[in-house]
Amino acid sequence: MDNTDFKDKNDSVIPIIFYIDYINIEYHKYLNKKFKDITPRDFTYLINIYYHPNISQRQLADLLIVSEANVGQIIKRLENNNLIHRNFDENNKSRRIINLTEKGKTRILSLLEESQKWEDKFFEKYDIGDEMKFREMISDYYQKSIDE
């Protein structure tokens, strides 16, 4: 759906997650136009590796709530594209530590810049207080969703 119109519906009965899903779809479409060589799922992995340096494959799987095999497939592709590198943990040779390469760091910084541009259009009509309140509310929404 390119233009889902809910204007004739009562907003109070439309689940918030429904809006979040559509926002996520549009966000991925936007990023796909800017970054043709990596998938939306890759963005999720790269961002998490950026914010969690020296993460293991097992920790990444737990963080993203996916199987370690799933992580392995995506990590292999990211490694082949020179966006991440894996090294053996010096304290545990069966454990691989994942970090971004310089190319990966550059991509993430570009991704964060594009993400900020995309978000800026949503907040252009609002003052900083409104934006901060929204961020606080969406963070609370997330926290309550994981506390269940």
Side-chain angles (χ1 to χ4, degrees):
M1 286 190 199
D2 283 337
N3 189 8
T4 305
D5 185 7
F6 303 111
K7 297 219 185 305
D8 61 337
K9 307 293 183 223
N10 180 349
D11 281 342
S12 66
V13 298
I14 298 172
I16 293 170
I17 196 68
F18 194 69
Y19 288 110
I20 291 170
D21 283 344
Y22 277 101
I23 290 167
N24 196 40
I25 289 166
E26 293 302 320
Y27 175 67
H28 285 170
K29 286 176 17 183
Y30 174 81
L31 291 178
N32 280 335
K33 289 178 190 173
K34 301 288 182 177
F35 301 92
K36 303 244 185 255
D37 59 336
I38 53 180
T39 69
R41 193 70 183 146
D42 294 345
F43 297 133
T44 301
Y45 279 72
L46 292 169
I47 287 289
N48 277 283
I49 294 166
Y50 176 76
Y51 285 114
H52 302 92
N54 299 314
I55 194 168
S56 72
Q57 189 165 315
R58 172 78 262 154
Q59 290 170 316
L60 190 56
D62 290 346
L63 183 67
L64 298 174
I65 313 168
V66 296
S67 71
E68 202 166 344
N70 181 288
V71 170
Q73 291 174 337
I74 293 174
I75 291 301
K76 186 156 186 73
R77 184 176 65 249
L78 295 174
E79 192 172 36
N80 289 340
N81 289 333
N82 196 31
L83 296 170
I84 61 126
H85 59 85
R86 293 184 283 182
N87 295 314
F88 287 105
D89 184 339
E90 292 178 11
N91 300 320
N92 180 353
K93 295 296 181 193
S94 65
R95 184 174 178 241
R96 305 279 302 262
I97 301 298
I98 305 167
N99 282 295
L100 296 173
T101 61
E102 287 306 313
K103 179 181 175 183
K105 290 175 188 173
T106 300
R107 295 303 284 231
I108 285 302
L109 295 177
S110 295
L111 170 64
L112 291 171
E113 183 179 323
E114 286 301 326
S115 293
Q116 188 61 54
K117 287 179 190 176
W118 193 76
E119 285 183 11
D120 285 348
K121 73 181 180 181
F122 296 109
F123 296 112
E124 64 190 6
K125 294 182 189 176
Y126 302 96
D127 64 38
I128 190 68
D130 291 334
E131 179 181 346
M132 296 313 293
K133 182 65 177 174
F134 176 79
R135 289 180 183 280
E136 178 185 332
M137 290 172 70
I138 203 77
S139 177
D140 287 348
Y141 186 90
Y142 166 68
Q143 286 302 316
K144 287 179 179 155
S145 75
I146 62 174
D147 291 343
E148 291 299 314

